[in-house]
Amino acid sequence: MSAGAILLAAGGTGGHMVPADALAGELRRRGRAVALVTDARGTRFPGLFEGVPVHVIPAATAAGLDPVGWVRAGRAILAGRSAACGLLRALGARAVVGFGGYPALPAMLAARAERQAALLHEQNAVLGRVNRFLARRVSLLALSFEETARVPAGVRTVVTGNPVRAEVLAARERPFAAPAPDAPFRLLVVGGSQGARILSQVVPAGLALLPPAERARLAVVHQARPEDLSAADAAYRAAGIAAECLPYMVDLPARMAAAHLVVSRAGASTLAELTAMGRPAILVPFAAATDDHQSANARAFAAARAGRVLAERDFTPAALAGAVEGFLRSPESLVAAAAAARALGRPDAVRLLADLVEAEAGLAPAAPPAAREAA
């Protein structure tokens, strides 16, 4: 394994953790040593960073005008920065890659203090606040979207796309096929790593409005918050709809690959996976997302006719039923939407980002796996 680790800084939400995990897998395949630095929330994602050393450091954010909160957050960030400086030295790190969000801030500040190679990756179509603060303090900002708002002038950027995991890329090779008119119609409902209450309230109610014959075709897999599971399950049963309700899906890529239609938030990782695989979707951007970035994420998807986008204010049971029924009755529209989604995908994102990390760290490109084995 190469001397000197690549330190990945991520945490908080799956939107930050999933692309970091994808990059970790690619770098490890190249023989690089990788470690993750995160906060306590970053340790709660089953199936991610298996075999990767994980280091938890203090981190915090402050909102509003509470001066006590700001002081506490400042102290936590400084403590995290100090811990990250020690970690960088102990690991002999060659570079630090930040994925945004406040858990990444202490590690990125430590990289600057230790004069380490440092770069950022932005998953969304609006540059996040932490990445905005750090953008001029790193050598490179990698972007997921060609059109990314709030990027400061003069910052060096490269569009890589948003890295997805190997199992997602493998599903890209599985052609999309619409179901026959009398065959089961597989519907996947996902609300991001923490679930989405509005999906659990509206989707079962909307599907219950479909004619009995169409309800009978549905095979639903629904991710819900733990506190919403029983109500969602009961609503599906009352409507006579076959549904499996789960709080978290370790096998989400396989579930998505098997779906004929996805109903989802418009998080960056979800969109990257939908487009990498080529799966049609009904997107419901999270209205309270910072800077309304989920609506920005969904614009290209909508413009390409890869599915439907319903704003939260328009996301009613009747609207959801109409959108699903349109796809149920028109298999050709499903096939066209799947093809449009696939055309938006960036399957080379993880390779391009890994290439940039190696270059910024001053590492020679890794030999292909076969060459390493032969050596």
Side-chain angles (χ1 to χ4, degrees):
M1 187 165 288
S2 303
I6 307 296
L7 193 65
L8 308 183
T13 68
H16 298 308
M17 297 292 285
V18 169
D21 176 67
L23 178 62
E26 174 65 17
L27 289 171
R28 293 181 75 203
R29 282 189 289 275
R30 298 181 182 202
R32 306 300 185 193
V34 179
L36 171 70
V37 60
T38 187
D39 67 343
R41 293 192 303 160
T43 63
R44 60 183 174 84
F45 295 92
L48 299 186
F49 294 97
E50 293 181 351
V52 174
V54 177
H55 304 272
V56 176
I57 64 172
T61 186
L65 301 175
D66 177 16
V68 175
W70 280 96
V71 170
R72 288 176 178 167
R75 287 175 176 169
I77 291 167
L78 288 175
R81 175 182 174 276
S82 177
C85 284
L87 183 61
L88 286 169
R89 292 191 291 267
L91 294 175
R94 296 292 296 266
V96 183
V97 187
F99 285 82
Y102 71 85
L105 181 57
M108 301 310 296
L109 293 176
R112 182 174 174 84
E114 296 291 315
R115 301 182 183 278
Q116 288 286 345
L119 59 157
L120 296 170
H121 180 271
E122 176 58 52
Q123 298 86 59
N124 293 296
V126 180
L127 194 64
R129 293 178 181 177
V130 168
N131 278 355
R132 244 177 276 166
F133 172 75
L134 293 168
R136 290 195 175 96
R137 295 170 170 82
V138 298
S139 59
L140 178 67
L141 171 62
L143 302 175
S144 297
F145 291 86
E146 292 278 357
E147 300 294 330
T148 303
R150 304 290 184 90
V151 176
V155 172
R156 179 182 166 221
T157 62
V158 177
V159 178
T160 60
N162 198 10
V164 296
R165 293 166 285 178
E167 54 266 43
V168 175
L169 294 177
R172 184 176 174 85
E173 305 309 314
R174 178 176 170 178
F176 178 82
D182 57 347
F185 186 98
R186 293 186 294 274
L187 182 70
L188 174 68
V189 184
V190 288
S193 59
Q194 300 176 60
R197 175 155 294 161
I198 191 172
L199 298 186
S200 294
Q201 293 170 338
V202 173
V203 175
L207 297 181
L209 299 177
L210 295 173
E214 293 180 348
R215 293 203 307 270
R217 289 186 60 198
L218 294 175
V220 179
V221 178
H222 186 128
Q223 179 221 2
R225 294 181 178 186
E227 61 268 29
D228 297 331
L229 277 171
S230 60
D233 183 68
Y236 283 122
R237 282 189 284 105
I241 296 171
E244 181 182 8
C245 296
L246 303 164
Y248 188 81
M249 301 177 197
V250 176
D251 60 344
L252 178 58
R255 303 268 190 174
M256 188 177 288
H260 295 119
L261 180 65
V262 179
V263 180
S264 174
R265 287 300 202 187
S269 287
T270 299
L271 277 167
E273 292 174 351
L274 285 169
T275 56
M277 292 184 189
R279 295 298 182 267
I282 298 168
L283 301 178
V284 187
F286 180 36
T290 304
D291 299 315
D292 198 22
H293 67 256
Q294 288 205 1
S295 294
N297 292 349
R299 283 184 195 126
F301 195 86
R305 299 181 181 274
R308 293 280 304 278
V309 177
L310 295 173
E312 278 194 8
R313 63 181 178 274
D314 303 322
F315 186 57
T316 63
L320 184 277
V324 171
E325 191 168 30
F327 285 117
L328 273 165
R329 295 183 177 183
S330 177
E332 62 274 14
S333 69
L334 272 179
V335 173
R342 194 176 192 277
L344 291 173
R346 292 182 176 270
D348 290 339
V350 70
R351 178 185 61 79
L352 293 174
L353 185 57
D355 289 347
L356 290 172
V357 171
E358 289 181 332
E360 294 300 308
L363 296 168
R372 290 200 301 271
E373 292 168 6

